Amino acid sequence: MLFSSRPVSGLENAVFRVDFVRTLLNILLIPALVISATACNKGEDPSLATSSDTAKTDTDKDQPPKPMPAELPDVLARVNGQDVKKVDFEMLVRNMEMSQGPIPAERRDEILRGALDRLITYTVLQQEAKARNITVPDAEVDEQLKSMQGQFKDAEDFEKTLETRGMSLDRLRADARLDMVITRMLDAEVATAESATDEEVKAFYEKNPERFKQEEALRASHILVMVDEKADDATRKKARAQIDGILKRARAGENFAELAKAHSQDGSAAQGGDLDFFARGRMVPAFDKAAFALETGEISDVVTTEFGYHIIKATDRRAAQTVPLETVSPQVKQYLTNQKKQARADAFVAGLKQKSRIEVLI
């Protein structure tokens, strides 16, 4: 879920991931705690990704959601007598909006009802994990937190992001532990799901040829000095002077990746500014046009977008092609296996919810 309405760095997502797990039924199939989103990408690349809506039936989708009240009570629901609290719901919604942008008014009821249902689901899973006495050693939790903190430039940046998310370090630690406990439980539940067969892989490949067509793609790295669109002239001049200085150093032969790590204000900075391969039209227009005009190894002039000032370096090109089965077979097999695991996880979650006493109070 990546949106270009605002730059969401991979740094912020380290904190966001733990809380946002409450919105997901397919927790196990989210492979990383840190999802990097860059400030030049227009949106999420279509991929062999499972949908979080797979648990919904066609009947559910056809029915309009029940309106959400303008003023919410302190307790929104109860799960086996445990309160689902307004404060947790509001934190979840706030984090969703910080990542994806404001909730459209016409979809308010749909999105908020969905968020409440997923928070209820999370509570059900939390209770089941507790009943099974599933635990995670403190050392593993500490390692998880250390991994998150490692995504930040320094301790101050980490603490600022926690504050922005309305989360304390203790709350982050507790949520990380719960996330790991639930993931461990779901992992055990789906461990016996059968792997996809070679025949299933081949059938999927032949049935979905459009999924394996690759457009012409460019691999590039960039350095971003962020400037708010509403910034005054003095702020813009200062940022422009900074990016001009970096461009001069890059063209003089300094290592581009090291310059990106030191100066870029984008989530890709930790990777030396590397954006991997992207097709035409995937980035915001000004960035896209400048990037595809470059020869491999060439460095652009300063490019201005709604995010600020960029320097782009083209590092590789890939011609349009249909990817051979033997190349994508491992990924397709993993995708189909994950679908089977997801079906097992969905059934497990549905069973837990069915036997739980769930009271929605709004």
Side-chain angles (χ1 to χ4, degrees):
M1 287 165 287
L2 311 178
F3 295 77
S4 63
S5 57
R6 63 178 294 275
V8 184
S9 71
L11 308 180
E12 289 180 333
N13 272 316
V15 174
F16 175 67
R17 164 66 182 89
V18 176
D19 195 71
F20 191 58
V21 70
R22 292 187 171 89
T23 73
L24 299 169
L25 293 180
N26 57 341
I27 299 171
L28 177 67
L29 303 183
I30 303 300
L33 284 172
V34 180
I35 304 173
S36 178
T38 60
C40 52
N41 198 327
K42 289 173 64 178
E44 187 175 5
D45 192 26
S47 63
L48 297 176
T50 55
S51 168
S52 61
D53 290 332
T54 51
K56 294 183 179 180
T57 65
D58 290 337
T59 302
D60 293 332
K61 292 178 181 178
D62 290 341
Q63 294 178 349
K66 181 180 178 182
M68 289 287 284
E71 294 292 330
L72 299 177
D74 291 338
V75 177
L76 308 184
R78 290 191 180 92
V79 178
N80 298 318
Q82 180 179 335
D83 291 344
V84 176
K85 298 179 180 179
K86 172 184 175 181
V87 62
D88 291 326
F89 179 76
E90 288 181 336
M91 176 181 285
L92 169 59
V93 172
R94 181 170 63 250
N95 282 343
M96 288 171 63
E97 289 191 310
M98 290 181 72
S99 174
Q100 304 176 24
I103 294 172
E106 67 274 12
R107 296 189 61 201
R108 178 180 182 273
D109 294 333
E110 171 196 352
I111 293 172
L112 294 188
R113 284 287 170 192
L116 177 57
D117 181 66
R118 290 161 186 161
L119 188 56
I120 288 169
T121 299
Y122 180 85
T123 305
V124 169
L125 291 170
Q126 176 187 346
Q127 290 177 354
E128 182 66 15
K130 183 177 180 181
R132 296 185 182 198
N133 294 316
I134 298 174
T135 60
V136 175
D138 289 344
E140 292 187 23
V141 179
D142 290 341
E143 187 63 29
Q144 192 73 282
L145 290 178
K146 184 179 178 181
S147 176
M148 292 179 191
Q149 290 172 319
Q151 301 298 315
F152 294 78
K153 292 183 177 179
D154 51 41
E156 182 181 353
D157 191 25
F158 175 68
E159 292 167 4
K160 183 179 179 181
T161 303
L162 282 177
E163 183 179 352
T164 300
R165 294 290 179 184
M167 182 178 284
S168 67
L169 183 58
D170 287 342
R171 175 63 184 270
L172 177 64
R173 179 184 295 275
D175 279 2
R177 185 184 297 276
L178 284 174
D179 183 19
M180 295 169 73
V181 163
I182 290 172
T183 299
R184 183 165 292 188
M185 177 177 67
L186 288 175
D187 191 20
E189 285 296 320
V190 305
T192 57
E194 293 182 359
S195 296
T197 65
D198 291 340
E199 290 74 18
E200 289 171 327
V201 170
K202 183 179 180 182
F204 183 88
Y205 180 86
E206 292 176 348
K207 187 178 179 179
N208 299 277
E210 72 286 347
R211 293 202 181 205
F212 305 100
K213 291 180 180 178
Q214 283 187 342
E215 302 174 71
E216 175 197 8
L218 174 73
R219 185 167 192 168
S221 299
H222 82 136
I223 297 169
L224 169 67
V225 173
M226 293 176 63
V227 184
D228 191 280
E229 290 184 282
K230 299 178 181 178
D232 57 32
D233 288 344
T235 301
R236 287 188 169 278
K237 286 180 180 178
K238 182 178 179 181
R240 181 59 193 243
Q242 182 182 356
I243 198 73
D244 284 342
I246 297 169
L247 176 59
K248 185 177 180 180
R249 293 170 62 183
R251 285 184 167 167
E254 287 196 43
N255 185 285
F256 194 92
E258 293 304 318
L259 287 171
K261 288 178 182 179
H263 302 288
S264 184
Q265 296 169 357
D266 180 61
S268 64
Q271 291 77 47
D274 183 29
L275 301 173
D276 210 334
F277 283 97
F278 53 90
R280 289 183 187 273
R282 290 298 305 157
M283 302 300 179
V284 294
F287 189 101
D288 191 79
K289 182 179 179 180
F292 276 91
L294 297 172
E295 298 293 335
T296 302
E298 186 180 2
I299 297 173
S300 72
D301 294 330
V302 173
V303 178
T304 304
T305 72
E306 56 262 47
F307 301 109
Y309 299 121
H310 308 254
I311 303 168
I312 309 167
K313 181 177 181 179
T315 56
D316 200 358
R317 285 184 180 274
R318 187 175 61 203
Q321 62 172 328
T322 297
V323 184
L325 172 60
E326 56 269 24
T327 300
V328 295
S329 180
Q331 295 97 310
V332 174
K333 179 171 282 191
Q334 185 62 57
Y335 166 68
L336 294 177
T337 299
N338 281 351
Q339 282 195 322
K340 293 183 178 185
K341 289 182 178 181
Q342 185 63 60
R344 181 75 63 87
D346 286 345
F348 173 65
V349 170
L352 289 180
K353 292 179 76 173
Q354 187 172 18
K355 72 179 185 180
S356 296
R357 188 175 71 256
I358 298 173
E359 306 167 80
V360 179
L361 306 178
I362 57 175

